[in-house]
Amino acid sequence: MISIYTDGACEPNPGAGGWAFVVYENGVNTQIRFGGDVSSTNNIMEMTAVLAAIEHCIAHRMKFTEVRIFSDSQYVVKGCNEWRHGWARKGWEKGKASLKNAGLWKAIAAAHDAFPCAITWVRGHSGIEGNEEADRLAEVGRKHAIEHRITSLEEFAA
């Protein structure tokens, strides 16, 4: 079983943000990844963490049935599991307005369609090891973005 814990952080919100994911294979931490942006929001960082985790699964050709991604953002979990199909049918609009973060939601939807894994909500700051580690690393990503004035996700990867 592969469990991936994700988290995002932003201080202030909006402001400098960080994201992270931690991979556990059979209960052992095997991989971490984090990043950040000096100008972001908490929701964008939470979404980016989940997108990065799914992309990691695709890149490493992980088995679909053995992967569960955990997020402490109900917005992201419900967006991935419930709302994205309706948003796509409606042209990524919400009512008469454009959907906030539509580009990122489209990327998550495409990745999740390519890698249909379970995305599950977990209570944040409740002592769950993977969630606590992802939270700590998201803050590392946020501080790194500030130190290096990183202004895009692509820049962080460079």
Side-chain angles (χ1 to χ4, degrees):
M1 174 67 172
I2 297 170
S3 299
I4 303 175
Y5 290 86
T6 67
D7 207 359
C10 200
E11 183 63 39
N13 187 23
W19 60 268
F21 70 78
V22 182
V23 178
Y24 287 86
E25 294 184 46
N26 298 316
V28 177
N29 179 335
T30 61
Q31 175 82 30
I32 63 169
R33 187 166 166 211
F34 59 87
D37 189 328
V38 294
S39 180
S40 193
T41 67
N42 192 66
N43 282 342
I44 289 171
M45 294 292 95
E46 295 278 4
M47 294 167 68
T48 300
V50 168
L51 176 59
I54 296 170
E55 289 175 341
H56 174 81
C57 292
I58 292 168
H60 291 86
R61 295 177 175 87
M62 294 180 174
K63 295 179 183 173
F64 294 173
T65 57
E66 295 182 8
V67 176
R68 182 172 299 267
I69 295 174
F70 294 92
S71 171
D72 62 9
S73 168
Q74 289 194 25
Y75 168 69
V76 173
V77 172
K78 288 180 180 180
C80 290
N81 294 330
E82 300 172 31
W83 304 331
R84 70 183 171 101
H85 303 291
W87 291 334
R89 280 192 305 274
K90 295 175 185 174
W92 299 98
E93 292 186 357
K94 190 175 180 183
K96 294 184 180 187
S98 293
L99 175 68
K100 283 187 179 179
N101 308 314
L104 194 49
W105 277 119
K106 288 178 189 178
I108 289 170
H112 199 207
D113 287 345
F115 189 85
C117 60
I119 299 177
T120 303
W121 180 75
V122 63
R123 182 175 301 282
H125 309 289
S126 62
I128 298 168
E129 179 184 350
N131 180 258
E132 298 292 340
E133 181 69 1
D135 182 68
R136 186 185 69 73
L137 290 168
E139 182 61 20
V140 171
R142 189 184 79 78
K143 288 179 179 176
H144 185 81
I146 292 168
E147 263 180 48
H148 299 282
R149 300 294 306 159
I150 295 169
T151 58
S152 73
L153 299 176
E154 293 77 24
E155 213 177 299
F156 197 94

